[in-house]
Amino acid sequence: MVNHEWSMQQLRNKAEAYCATAEHCLFDVRIKLQLWGATAAQTEDILTHLQDSGFVDEKRYSHAYAHDKLLYHGWGRMKIRAQLLAKQLPKNLIEDALNNIDETEYTNVLQRIIASKKRSMKSEDTNKLIRFCLQRGFTYDEIKQYLTSF
């Protein structure tokens, strides 16, 4: 529901301000513009402007997203991939972002998650721990590899 009619310049300014505060992908900005009441033509013009001006860069976004979700949310590659696909990013950018995840950071996060979850578990239920890590987006092979080291 749109309460206000924005001019093209106002929409462009709002979109620039939105993109200046944090990294966003085209999908996120498109949704925001639709909420603000932009027409399809206005949306495409503004998205083109934002890309040309450097406000939106999907490669930069995908790298930042993968890095942040790993470090701050403890997500594995599978969950990060699924979320980036949901944002309609090109597969080559997603794979590039996932391949650029620092392997040491990745294993440290997984080891920290396993250690933390093991401490909080009342019993030695390995299956429960594996399910938890799978939900976080780590593969079974990754989990098994680091589970044996504890």
Side-chain angles (χ1 to χ4, degrees):
M1 183 156 121
V2 179
N3 295 334
H4 189 279
E5 292 237 356
W6 302 100
S7 71
M8 181 65 168
Q9 188 59 46
Q10 288 172 318
L11 286 168
R12 181 179 287 181
N13 291 344
K14 284 176 69 69
E16 287 175 355
Y18 175 67
C19 293
T21 60
E23 287 292 339
H24 295 286
C25 63
L26 292 174
F27 181 79
D28 292 340
V29 179
R30 180 174 277 116
I31 289 172
K32 201 55 114 166
L33 286 166
Q34 288 171 351
L35 289 174
W36 293 334
T39 65
Q42 288 174 322
T43 299
E44 293 311 313
D45 285 349
I46 292 169
L47 291 176
T48 300
H49 164 73
L50 293 173
Q51 283 184 298
D52 293 345
S53 303
F55 282 100
V56 174
D57 182 335
E58 292 201 319
K59 181 176 182 177
R60 188 177 65 212
Y61 174 82
S62 61
H63 283 259
Y65 187 93
H67 178 264
D68 290 353
K69 291 302 180 182
L70 171 67
L71 289 185
Y72 303 119
H73 297 276
W75 288 6
R77 284 187 179 98
M78 302 301 288
K79 188 168 184 172
I80 294 169
R81 177 181 286 114
Q83 293 302 310
L84 288 172
L85 283 170
K87 291 185 177 283
Q88 301 176 357
L89 289 162
K91 287 184 172 133
N92 64 323
L93 292 181
I94 294 171
E95 292 308 316
D96 185 44
L98 295 174
N99 290 335
N100 281 325
I101 290 176
D102 182 83
E103 207 55 46
T104 305
E105 285 179 350
Y106 191 79
T107 56
N108 287 342
V109 168
L110 178 56
Q111 288 173 340
R112 191 170 54 243
I113 289 170
I114 290 173
S116 173
K117 194 66 176 171
K118 270 191 142 186
R119 279 192 302 273
S120 69
M121 289 173 51
K122 292 186 170 122
S123 67
E124 287 296 317
D125 189 357
T126 307
N127 290 334
K128 188 175 182 179
L129 180 60
I130 291 171
R131 278 193 311 274
F132 178 78
C133 293
L134 287 170
Q135 288 173 338
R136 285 287 185 100
F138 295 95
T139 66
Y140 183 76
D141 291 336
E142 292 167 342
I143 298 164
K144 279 304 243 185
Q145 179 182 354
Y146 296 104
L147 196 56
T148 57
S149 66
F150 285 94

